[in-house]
Amino acid sequence: MMQPLDKDALNSLQITSMREDTSEVVEPLHLRSDLLDSKLVPILEERFKEAQQCLSHSPLAAIMLCGSFLEGLLLGIAQKKPEEFKHSRKSPKDKNGKPKAFKDWTLAQFIDVACEIELLRLDVKKFSHVLRDFRNYIHPYK
């Protein structure tokens, strides 16, 4: 039997304060290893810190970092709760109908599955896809 995701741990990811005119870290992030793969915790905490530092002077870099953070966060949670992600109706399948390895998932697929398993609310899903679209603008021909 699959254990449900810890909603309190997810709620702790809320940003509660922001200052527009600074390149300082406004709010540190402390991820819990019971929420996601512990190897990703320091990487994601650093991405979050860098994104905050870029907000006032490098908005495109901040968007790229936020997209990277989101993808890493969803991957880390999926690695911690693989059965919930892989048994989702929305999980990407190979030609034999078996769930693909997480390394072969796109950010869009992680977002859709996370919403379907009620990890993300619909409004967060929509925002996440917008973030993903903007992140993809870094490609010169988009």
Side-chain angles (χ1 to χ4, degrees), residues 29-45:
L29 180 67
H30 303 287
L31 296 171
R32 296 176 11 197
S33 59
D34 62 325
L35 176 65
L36 68 153
D37 184 348
S38 62
K39 291 178 273 189
L40 287 174
V41 170
I43 296 166
L44 293 175
E45 288 175 347

Side-chain angles (χ1 to χ4, degrees), residues 52-133:
Q52 287 185 74
Q53 291 170 329
C54 289
L55 278 174
S56 66
H57 58 84
S58 301
L60 184 57
I63 289 169
M64 289 182 354
L65 288 164
C66 287
S68 174
F69 175 82
L70 176 62
E71 191 162 7
L73 181 66
L74 293 176
L75 171 62
I77 294 170
Q79 288 173 329
K80 199 73 165 184
K81 302 280 187 177
E83 296 307 310
E84 289 184 53
F85 276 75
K86 288 186 176 188
H87 286 115
S88 163
R89 290 179 304 110
K90 299 230 179 219
S91 69
K93 311 287 191 283
D94 65 17
K95 62 184 176 186
N96 298 318
K98 295 187 186 226
K100 289 183 176 182
F102 292 138
K103 69 178 183 62
D104 298 321
W105 287 34
T106 65
L107 178 53
Q109 292 165 331
F110 275 116
I111 293 167
D112 290 341
V113 169
C115 185
E116 195 209 2
I117 64 172
E118 298 181 352
L119 178 63
L120 300 178
R121 296 184 319 257
L122 182 58
D123 61 329
V124 177
K125 174 187 175 183
K126 289 177 182 178
F127 177 81
S128 297
H129 279 298
V130 170
L131 173 63
R132 179 185 56 82
D133 288 341

